[in-house]
Amino acid sequence: MKLKIKLYATTLQPLLLWLKDNPDDTDIRYTVARLLRYYSNTPKTLGLPYMYSDAALAEAIKLEIPEPEERLKWVTWKEQTNKSGLRDVSRKNGIFHLEHIVPVSQIAKKLYELEDLSDAFPIYEILVNNLKIAWILKTEQKLLDSVNRSGLRTPKLLTTLNIHIKGFNN
């Protein structure tokens, strides 16, 4: 069991319990979404390496980024433009994009649908199984968003779009 994710699951539990009795509390819903986004920003801490697309790896190799596979697994969004990161020119106009393969809204939806919140383990399982984040190219991100902005992304959908994510659909 990944201890940090267990802690996060335990932290989310009272918020989700509150939402069972107060389903229209938009402040708590917003808090859950922000926490999920925050939790996903630390792959080393979580012990869940980021995934990456074949195209992102090819571009990293082309740019002669040292140890491209390792960098794509562990470089965070904050380190994207660093010399020790992906050396991207900027987040807005750069080459790489950090994509939630399972969007935060979909993870939150799965959490809201949990019936039994007496234990944090089901929350933990959702986090472990759905914090799927990948470095992809901006061009891949634009294509993906044009077809499926925040809905369920399946391996079949990504394959149809010719976006191949190591460990997801490749």
Side-chain angles (χ1 to χ4, degrees):
M1 185 171 278
K2 299 177 184 314
L3 291 179
K4 197 75 166 234
I5 298 175
K6 183 179 176 187
L7 174 64
Y8 291 159
T10 304
T11 302
L12 287 168
Q13 187 179 16
L15 298 172
L16 295 171
L17 282 166
W18 172 265
L19 285 172
K20 286 289 181 206
D21 294 329
N22 305 280
D24 297 326
D25 191 330
T26 55
D27 291 334
I28 298 299
R29 284 184 179 274
Y30 176 80
T31 300
V32 168
R34 293 308 305 160
L35 287 170
L36 290 171
R37 191 165 299 285
Y38 175 77
Y39 296 162
S40 66
N41 287 334
T42 55
K44 283 186 182 174
T45 303
L46 296 179
L48 296 173
Y50 289 150
M51 298 174 186
Y52 51 87
S53 71
D54 290 348
L57 177 60
E59 190 65 27
I61 291 168
K62 181 177 143 190
L63 294 171
E64 299 180 355
I65 293 173
E67 301 178 337
E69 289 187 57
E70 284 302 303
R71 295 244 183 134
L72 289 167
K73 284 182 192 175
W74 302 112
V75 166
T76 66
W77 178 78
K78 291 178 185 177
E79 300 165 323
Q80 178 178 354
T81 58
N82 295 356
K83 186 177 180 181
S84 61
L86 297 178
R87 302 177 179 175
D88 221 343
V89 291
S90 72
R91 286 191 192 93
K92 186 175 181 180
N93 298 314
I95 296 168
F96 300 100
H97 174 75
L98 192 58
E99 181 68 32
H100 286 83
I101 300 303
V102 179
V104 168
S105 61
Q106 295 295 319
I107 300 170
K109 184 179 176 193
K110 290 177 185 196
L111 291 171
Y112 302 149
E113 291 171 352
L114 285 172
E115 291 297 323
D116 183 9
L117 291 167
S118 60
D119 182 26
F121 188 70
I123 300 166
Y124 171 87
E125 283 185 314
I126 287 173
L127 295 178
V128 167
N129 294 324
N130 291 279
L131 285 175
K132 296 185 183 311
I133 302 153
W135 283 108
I136 63 175
L137 299 180
K138 291 270 186 183
T139 53
E140 293 174 310
Q141 179 246 337
K142 288 176 184 171
L143 175 62
L144 183 57
D145 283 354
S146 73
V147 173
N148 188 335
R149 173 93 177 117
S150 61
L152 187 62
R153 279 96 180 256
T154 63
K156 182 179 179 182
L157 171 69
L158 292 178
T159 301
T160 302
L161 297 174
N162 202 28
I163 300 172
H164 302 281
I165 308 287
K166 184 173 180 160
F168 187 69
N169 67 329
N170 184 7

